[in-house]
Amino acid sequence: MDEQERAWLAQYLQGDNEALGKLVEHYRRPLFAFILKMTEGRADADEIFQEVWIRAIRNLGGFRAENLIGWLFRIAHNLIIDQARRAKPIVHPSSRGADSRTDWMNQIPDSRHGPASEAAGRDLGSRIRQAMRILPPEQREVFLLRMEGDVPFKEIAKIQGVSINTALARMHYAVLKLRQELKDEYRTFTGKET
Amino acid sequence: MNCETTMPWILLETSGELPASRRADLAAHLASCPACREYRASLDVLRTGTRADAAAIPALDAATLTTILSASEAGRRRSPVARPSRSRWLDLVRTPALAYAAAALFAFGLGFGITVLRHPAGPTVAASTAPAWTMDEWLDVELDLLNSELAATSADWTDSAGGSPDGSVPDDVYSDPLLETEV
């Protein structure tokens, strides 16, 4: 956690609810992207995100670990598995007809061969998103935790309940498969063969 | 040293977890191995692409944020003062002065209890001397139980998955005692 994150957490624990809003927004991109990609844009991604925070809030008073985002990812991991096993969405009384995310995976433009490097990065990103569908869930999760959340392998191993060697092996296989799947895009992006 | 050994080191280097004792070996291998340099470069490309894509995720639904903040407010109403964690209380008890005070109180309570038991005609002491739990403490216990349950389901899920594409590669493919102890 950096200084700003610590400050927001301290302010929240002192009673400042706005600081919680800042933390939620601050972690939104990596956490929400992780949930969306692990659930393949399922309609209950919003509800899972919401539930992660509600469960975290209950225990924030006693939070002592250094890595808040790692803890949030761990709660998200448990919820995603739980939901997949029960195969029904979390429904809160306040929930809308949350179908706006259903097609998220297909909503982002999928154009290729953009002229600027930024556009090329986005194109590559959309291809990575599609290619990730071939990965087994446990490999996809390791890849996303590293790439989206910058979660250390030691923490990933704890989240998945495996040894650090297994977490490393999963990442390695995910990278090899994605490189193979994306070799054309990779060549376009870097000008090199894989 | 071969590439099979080096590639997990490259992964650990990107996460800042590579033990210092391995860094020189890794640098030496990278200097002489184009395949491993390419592997490391591909991690950067995949990260750049993944993050560029993540930047395009939809904004958080306002209702979702409202629900989270409302849940927080509701929690504060149940427990308006920030509750010190149990570990902090334990830290306090570990200080000698407070430990003596706690011991003295315990001894006084014990003596009082014995006195009451020896004088049944005295004031009746109700059996309900167990400390009352706050709502937050109950919620903590509930969350702990839930997390234990979810961890068990996680174990089911990961055990069947294995560490390789086809499950045929042993779990200790990257077995390196130094990594396990130093990371």
Side-chain angles (χ1 to χ4, degrees), chain B residues 13-75:
Chain B
E13 183 198 34
T14 63
S15 65
E17 296 171 281
L18 184 68
S21 58
R22 300 291 196 204
R23 286 178 203 151
D25 291 341
L26 175 60
H29 179 82
L30 286 172
S32 63
C33 180
C36 284
R37 285 201 301 274
E38 184 63 31
Y39 181 77
R40 186 165 72 169
S42 70
L43 293 174
D44 291 336
V45 172
L46 288 170
R47 174 186 296 269
T48 302
T50 304
R51 295 200 166 191
D53 188 50
I57 67 165
L60 191 62
D61 194 317
T64 301
L65 184 59
T66 303
T67 304
I68 293 167
L69 295 179
S70 300
S72 170
E73 286 290 354

Side-chain angles (χ1 to χ4, degrees), chain A residues 35 39 42-55 75-76 78-84 86-96 98, chain B residues 67 146 150:
Chain A
I35 294 169
T39 59
R42 238 170 41 207
D44 56 346
D46 269 344
E47 278 72 22
I48 292 175
F49 180 86
Q50 182 176 295
E51 189 67 16
V52 167
W53 276 104
I54 288 172
R55 292 189 184 193
I75 299 172
N78 288 341
L79 283 170
I80 289 166
I81 291 173
D82 194 42
Q83 290 310 107
R86 287 190 286 164
K88 63 179 184 183
I90 298 167
V91 178
H92 276 275
S94 62
S95 294
R96 297 88 34 222
Chain B
T67 304
L146 180 67
L150 291 177

Side-chain angles (χ1 to χ4, degrees), chain A residues 66-82:
Chain A
E66 262 299 293
N67 190 354
L68 180 57
I69 186 71
W71 186 50
L72 295 171
F73 276 125
R74 186 183 296 207
I75 299 172
H77 160 91
N78 288 341
L79 283 170
I80 289 166
I81 291 173
D82 194 42

Side-chain angles (χ1 to χ4, degrees), chain A residues 12 17 28 55 59 64 94 101 104 125 129 138 146-147 150 153-154 164-166 170 172 179 186, chain B residues 17 38-39 42 47 49 51 53-54 58-59 67 72-73 76 88 140 146 158 161-162 171 174 180 183:
Chain A
Y12 171 65
N17 226 28
R28 177 188 67 87
R55 292 189 184 193
N59 242 15
R64 282 289 170 277
S94 62
R101 311 290 181 204
W104 178 84
R129 178 172 14 108
E138 68 279 1
R146 272 304 304 141
M147 296 303 188
D150 249 340
F153 283 103
K154 198 173 178 182
I164 191 168
N165 291 326
T166 300
R170 287 175 175 171
H172 180 58
R179 274 165 53 121
Y186 186 80
Chain B
E17 296 171 281
E38 184 63 31
Y39 181 77
S42 70
R47 174 186 296 269
R51 295 200 166 191
D53 188 50
T67 304
S72 170
E73 286 290 354
R76 286 191 193 287
R88 191 182 295 167
D140 287 352
L146 180 67
T158 52
D171 192 46
Y174 288 140
E180 292 286 15
V183 173

Side-chain angles (χ1 to χ4, degrees), chain B:
Chain B
M1 189 194 316
N2 59 31
C3 301
E4 281 293 302
T5 307
T6 311
M7 283 179 178
W9 293 4
I10 294 172
L11 293 174
L12 289 168
E13 183 198 34
T14 63
S15 65
E17 296 171 281
L18 184 68
S21 58
R22 300 291 196 204
R23 286 178 203 151
D25 291 341
L26 175 60
H29 179 82
L30 286 172
S32 63
C33 180
C36 284
R37 285 201 301 274
E38 184 63 31
Y39 181 77
R40 186 165 72 169
S42 70
L43 293 174
D44 291 336
V45 172
L46 288 170
R47 174 186 296 269
T48 302
T50 304
R51 295 200 166 191
D53 188 50
I57 67 165
L60 191 62
D61 194 317
T64 301
L65 184 59
T66 303
T67 304
I68 293 167
L69 295 179
S70 300
S72 170
E73 286 290 354
R76 286 191 193 287
R77 277 196 295 275
R78 282 197 301 267
S79 176
V81 180
R83 179 176 57 86
S85 74
R86 279 167 287 189
S87 60
R88 191 182 295 167
W89 281 112
L90 284 174
D91 289 344
L92 285 174
V93 170
R94 285 192 193 107
T95 63
L98 281 173
Y100 289 137
L105 273 173
F106 177 75
F108 174 77
L110 188 65
F112 180 73
I114 289 170
T115 305
V116 167
L117 285 173
R118 284 182 176 173
H119 300 85
T124 308
V125 177
S128 59
T129 52
W133 285 28
T134 67
M135 182 60 78
D136 274 358
E137 284 170 331
W138 280 112
L139 288 172
D140 287 352
V141 171
E142 181 197 25
L143 188 68
D144 289 345
L145 287 173
L146 180 67
N147 281 336
S148 306
E149 186 186 325
L150 291 177
T153 63
S154 159
D156 293 345
W157 182 58
T158 52
D159 285 347
S160 63
S164 66
D166 59 4
S168 62
V169 179
D171 192 46
D172 59 351
V173 62
Y174 288 140
S175 180
D176 184 337
L178 187 61
L179 295 183
E180 292 286 15
T181 53
E182 290 193 15
V183 173

